[in-house]
Amino acid sequence: MTTSDLPAEGQPDVSSDNTEAPFDDVITLSTSTGEDGTVTVTVVGEVDTFTAPVLRSSLDSQLEQSPAELVIDLSGVQFLGSAGLAVLVETQKASRAKDVGLRLIATTRAVTRPLEVTGLIDLFTIADSPAK
């Protein structure tokens, strides 16, 4: 592979059959607040070394508001790396310190498997839907 085979910076990596390859370091976050004061942060994409700081910043800013409960919806996450696991653990500690309930919505193997393998799954309340 030569450097001309690599995507230009800021350009999507496109495979030879004109479909986007899964190498875009993209994460999409959206936040909503329910009538009961529960804040839900919905995460879509890959949570890795490059995107974890964005997630951490968003979760920290939500915790600063001391919501009734913080829900992290990970159902749209296709990859959860060690940096993402670290963010979840740090958020769990911070939410406990602020006496804010924390719940993860984890419906895919891409999220549940890393939590299970590392033994971290026991630290969290896991749900398969936004409803309590």
Side-chain angles (χ1 to χ4, degrees):
M1 178 181 283
T2 65
T3 54
S4 62
D5 294 328
L6 299 174
E9 188 152 343
Q11 298 297 313
D13 185 5
V14 178
S15 62
S16 58
D17 61 356
N18 277 348
T19 60
E20 285 196 22
F23 299 117
D24 295 321
D25 294 322
V26 176
I27 188 171
T28 304
L29 303 175
S30 58
T31 303
S32 62
T33 303
E35 291 180 16
D36 62 354
T38 297
V39 172
T40 302
V41 176
T42 303
V43 186
V44 177
E46 297 181 0
V47 185
D48 57 19
T49 303
F50 297 107
T51 60
V54 174
L55 178 58
R56 172 69 191 251
S57 176
S58 175
L59 295 174
D60 285 350
S61 67
Q62 294 307 317
L63 279 175
E64 285 175 14
Q65 308 300 317
S66 295
E69 182 181 32
L70 179 61
V71 177
I72 306 171
D73 185 347
L74 301 169
S75 55
V77 172
Q78 293 103 18
F79 175 80
L80 180 62
S82 59
L85 291 170
V87 168
L88 293 177
V89 170
E90 292 160 0
T91 301
Q92 191 272 344
K93 288 178 183 176
S95 67
R96 183 175 289 168
K98 289 185 164 280
D99 201 27
V100 172
L102 177 67
R103 195 161 31 108
L104 304 182
I105 299 174
T107 58
T108 63
R109 185 168 170 82
V111 173
T112 58
R113 185 71 178 143
L115 288 168
E116 290 168 351
V117 167
T118 58
L120 295 173
I121 199 158
D122 295 332
L123 290 177
F124 301 98
T125 300
I126 308 288
D128 56 7
S129 71
K132 288 185 179 181

